Amino acid sequence: MSKFYLTNAIAYVNAGPHMGHALEMLIGDALTRYHRMIGDDTRFLVGTDEHGSKIAQTAAAQGVTPQELADKNAALFVDFHQKFNAANDDFIRTTSERHKKGAQKLWKMMEAADVFYEKEYEGLYCTGCEVFLPEKDLVDGKCAIHLREPELLKEKNIFFKLSNYTDILREKIESGEMEIRPESRRNEFLSFLKEGLKDVSFSRPKSSLEWGIEVPGHEDQVMYVWCDALSNYLTALGFAEDDALVEHYWPADVHLVGKDIIRFHCGIWPAMLMAAGLPTPKAIYVHGFVTSEGQKMSKSLGNVVDPMALLNEFPMESIRYYLLREIPTDEDGDFSIARFKAVYHDDLQNTIGNLVRRVVAMGLKYLDGDVPVLEGEHEAIEVCRAAYHHGFNSFDVREACDAILELARFGNLRIEQEKPWQLAKSNPEKIPEVLSELVAICRHLGLFLHPILPEASQKILDQVGDRPLVMGEPLFPALEPNE
Ligand code: MSP
């Protein structure tokens, strides 16, 4: 049994969850459930990133303390994971004691390796990115992502000698010791490394930002929020006090992140670990961004889709299916209500739901539900199985979904070819053979769907998993009254 430790990026708590968070949560959840299903000793971590100037400024604007804002929004993220049936083992908050102590321990381990120095620094800070931006990255004086002018900061900071790690990181990536998927993102980061990594400010003076974890031995400084946040992947394993889980699960097998935070995960984080003498992650998987009705989701465009509001209108698993099947796992993809309804109707109701309902109905009608188990291998099932595992093992959950859908289409085709209702009159002896093939297909659909749609998977197995077959409620009811 191999172990599989998967982490998602921890979300900022300046606001509640959006569709980007939903996409990442679901990809992580599907990978987790897949690895559990194949027997891996799997651990899945999610959480919230609660310090830094973004949170401090949002709280000030709302007239609450940063802790109050963090408590309110972290609760929304916990609820969001529960409502989407996420299978996370833990939820780390960076304002928790276990995290603060762990982050300070990691800092001290890095300090012992002499990787820090102090410097008076003047730079342009983007609160949206929580990063100092080099002037060459600005577009018309603004951050290219947040379209806002960065703040000019002049202060004493502690710097991390990140520039020491350019070559060793390149070697780790080129040799495959640290995998970056997809290939396009690996190439993007390798070409970024060609410029050479620059040292990075790793602390902020409390005089300009109080909301952070105190730097051990420097009570006038708090940790840079990315240094604080990245360490969550270790602190959640009990790094501060108890080594058992760290020894068992570290290094992480996969850090799942969005395309905007590659440099932190492929550059700063492994360098921090190397400085502290700890093993680096085995892989970083990078997903794309969800757009809304063809445009970047943004508050000013008024097209931000709130996944919790969608839950009030549509079945939870219909949203899971859309994000996992319609958005390419490693590229950008779009959310539109029209497409969402079409996919629910075509794939779930008409293809999968209809097949299972027809097969169970015919099994009950012609054989009292007692359909013999199919003997031997079945070609279409084996083709599906191969593509399904390939998809999950190559960071392509969509390929796995496609394989399932193909098998369901094949099942529907077999019904049309064999026409059991005609066989019942012309050649009833053939009915057990035909239905045993169809039931085998449905059973496999039930099994394969588990990581994608755990509830529908269970409902299918309740109907076709055993002899006799059992007729259940429709798997995918009509989207009334909003259809
Ligand atoms: N707090 C940092 C991550 C720290 S990890 C040590 C952060 N938070 S975030 O809330 O802005 O983003 C959380 C995750 O959601 C990131 O992986 C980010 O890339 C992803 N997404 C944010 N917007 C997104 C979309 N519109 N679409 C898909 N994912 C997006 O970054």
Side-chain angles (χ1 to χ4, degrees), residues 88 96 98 224 235 264 368 381 384 395 401 433 449 476-477:
N88 51 300
S96 60
R98 64 174 173 148
Y224 172 42
T235 64
F264 301 97
D368 286 331
I381 294 175
C384 169
F395 188 48
C401 294
E433 182 194 319
L449 270 175
F476 305 106

Side-chain angles (χ1 to χ4, degrees), residues 17-18 21-22 25 75-84 307-308:
H18 56 56
H21 296 120
M25 183 238 302
L76 295 182
F77 277 96
V78 170
D79 186 45
F80 161 76
H81 283 84
Q82 283 167 354
K83 297 255 164 65
F84 276 92
M308 298 303 275

